[in-house]
Amino acid sequence: MFSDHLLNVMGKKKKLKIAIQGIATSFHEVAACTYFKEPITTIECLSFHALCESLKNGEADYAVMAIENSIAGSILPNYFLLQEYHFSIIGEIYLPIHMHLMALPGVTMKDIKNIESHPMAIRQCSDYLYKMKGIQIMESDDTALSAKRVKEQRLKNTAAIANEFAAKKFGLNILEKRIETHKKNFTRFLILTRKANVSVDSNKASLSFEVANEVGSLAEALMTFKSNSINLTKIQSIPIIGKPSEYSIHVDVEWQKRKSYDIAMQQVMRQVRNLNILGEYKKAKMEYI
């Protein structure tokens, strides 16, 4: 009897705990469910700092963090968080982002005085919102949270910008569909963990480093990637706090042959300072819907 019970307990796979920014039905939750492809438990965090603390303190096994959007650009504060917490990037996912304007049933556009959503969502819908006259645009902590607030507080003069899952969950009607500025809109999310995992089939890496404040120092490092057939897919500089006029350089690189990447890294280490491999992982596909 005891052994049978033990086998049953051991046979039950424990759900992964994933920290997300936002609440249920947020784009972060959609990204988490899409990436892990198995039942998960989400840890809801209303800020990216809270998300990092959740992962750091062991409340979550992994965290899903948005890092850039094809319309709104890079989320610069998250680069600072990556440097501060020293998490490892083990994967990425590109999620198509469709923004909808939603309100309580029976509410029409003539009733709307306020539109509320996350700042990044507002930026992604800037062309649509620019044309709205006499309407106040308000920022919130999360797209889904805005939809929830409209529902729970019965706000008949307020519309939220969120996804269709939020509209269904909170019983809101979609007034306008696909209000994002460009229809090929996606957000790139990073999958973070506390411990580094070596991926045998990795073909992409995220790196950070510093270079001397001298003519050509950055160009020299970047040319090393080129000469070794390493594709540079992103470069982002962020200020180094406490060091005016000095920057940390973040790059994403891709390779076809691991040996080429290894050789390039050996050379780059001699050209830069404080080289940090934030993660080596499998490049994600970008599929529009």
Side-chain angles (χ1 to χ4, degrees):
M1 290 289 291
F2 177 79
S3 60
D4 289 342
H5 173 72
L6 182 61
L7 288 173
N8 289 334
V9 171
M10 292 176 65
K12 293 181 180 178
K13 187 176 181 180
K14 187 178 179 181
K15 286 185 179 181
L16 293 174
K17 294 179 291 182
I18 314 298
I20 61 170
Q21 192 276 316
I23 64 173
T25 74
S26 67
F27 287 107
H28 273 78
E29 185 186 58
V30 176
C33 292
T34 303
Y35 180 85
F36 286 98
K37 297 183 177 65
E38 62 180 274
I40 61 175
T41 298
T42 54
I43 309 297
E44 299 177 352
C45 308
L46 291 186
S47 70
F48 286 112
H49 183 268
L51 177 146
C52 290
E53 284 293 307
S54 177
L55 181 58
K56 175 186 174 183
N57 296 332
E59 298 169 11
D61 301 305
Y62 299 93
V64 175
M65 173 190 280
I67 197 66
E68 63 178 311
N69 175 264
S70 57
I71 298 175
S74 297
I75 306 176
L76 293 180
N78 287 357
Y79 281 93
F80 287 99
L81 290 173
L82 289 176
Q83 290 195 160
E84 178 182 350
Y85 283 89
H86 305 289
F87 295 139
S88 293
I89 303 170
I90 62 160
E92 65 177 3
I93 180 172
Y94 291 92
L95 186 72
I97 303 295
H98 301 159
M99 296 292 188
H100 309 306
L101 188 70
M102 56 195 69
L104 290 170
V107 171
T108 67
M109 286 300 301
K110 294 181 181 179
D111 303 314
I112 301 302
K113 303 298 180 186
N114 308 299
I115 294 177
E116 176 182 313
S117 195
H118 188 275
M120 289 296 288
I122 291 171
R123 287 175 62 183
Q124 292 168 46
C125 303
S126 58
D127 283 7
Y128 175 85
L129 296 175
Y130 179 76
K131 300 173 184 176
M132 309 291 284
K133 304 300 180 183
I135 293 181
Q136 183 178 3
I137 309 300
M138 302 186 300
E139 297 183 351
S140 72
D141 291 326
D142 180 45
T143 54
L145 190 63
S146 294
K148 182 181 181 182
R149 200 174 81 88
V150 169
K151 171 67 174 180
E152 292 185 345
Q153 298 184 21
R154 307 296 300 171
L155 302 176
K156 296 183 178 180
N157 66 345
T158 302
I161 298 174
N163 61 32
E164 62 179 325
F165 301 107
K168 291 177 181 178
K169 180 178 177 66
F170 300 113
L172 301 180
N173 285 346
I174 294 179
L175 301 177
E176 294 278 356
K177 291 185 176 182
R178 303 294 302 274
I179 64 171
E180 62 270 16
T181 298
H182 296 287
K183 302 314 172 188
K184 289 185 176 181
N185 180 31
F186 67 86
T187 295
R188 177 184 174 221
F189 296 84
L190 301 178
I191 314 302
L192 308 175
T193 186
R194 291 183 298 277
K195 297 180 180 179
N197 293 331
V198 179
S199 176
V200 294
D201 60 347
S202 61
N203 58 3
K204 186 173 183 177
S206 294
L207 318 169
S208 69
F209 55 83
E210 300 167 24
V211 294
N213 189 12
E214 300 173 355
V215 174
S217 58
L218 176 57
E220 182 183 17
L222 299 183
M223 282 300 296
T224 296
F225 291 119
K226 179 181 183 297
S227 62
N228 285 282
S229 301
I230 304 300
N231 187 26
L232 182 69
T233 61
K234 183 177 177 65
I235 179 169
Q236 181 72 57
S237 64
I238 63 171
I240 299 175
I241 297 175
K243 296 182 179 180
S245 301
E246 293 191 30
Y247 296 85
S248 177
I249 310 299
H250 286 248
V251 298
D252 292 334
V253 296
E254 299 173 2
W255 62 86
Q256 293 184 341
K257 297 179 180 180
R258 175 74 194 204
K259 185 176 181 180
S260 299
Y261 167 71
D262 291 338
I263 293 173
M265 290 299 292
Q266 291 174 5
Q267 296 173 1
V268 169
M269 278 194 293
R270 296 193 292 267
Q271 298 169 326
V272 304
R273 302 192 304 261
N274 298 327
L275 176 63
N276 184 19
I277 301 176
L278 301 174
E280 297 174 357
Y281 48 94
K282 185 75 173 178
K283 175 187 175 183
K285 294 181 179 179
M286 195 182 304
E287 299 176 336
Y288 296 106
I289 299 175

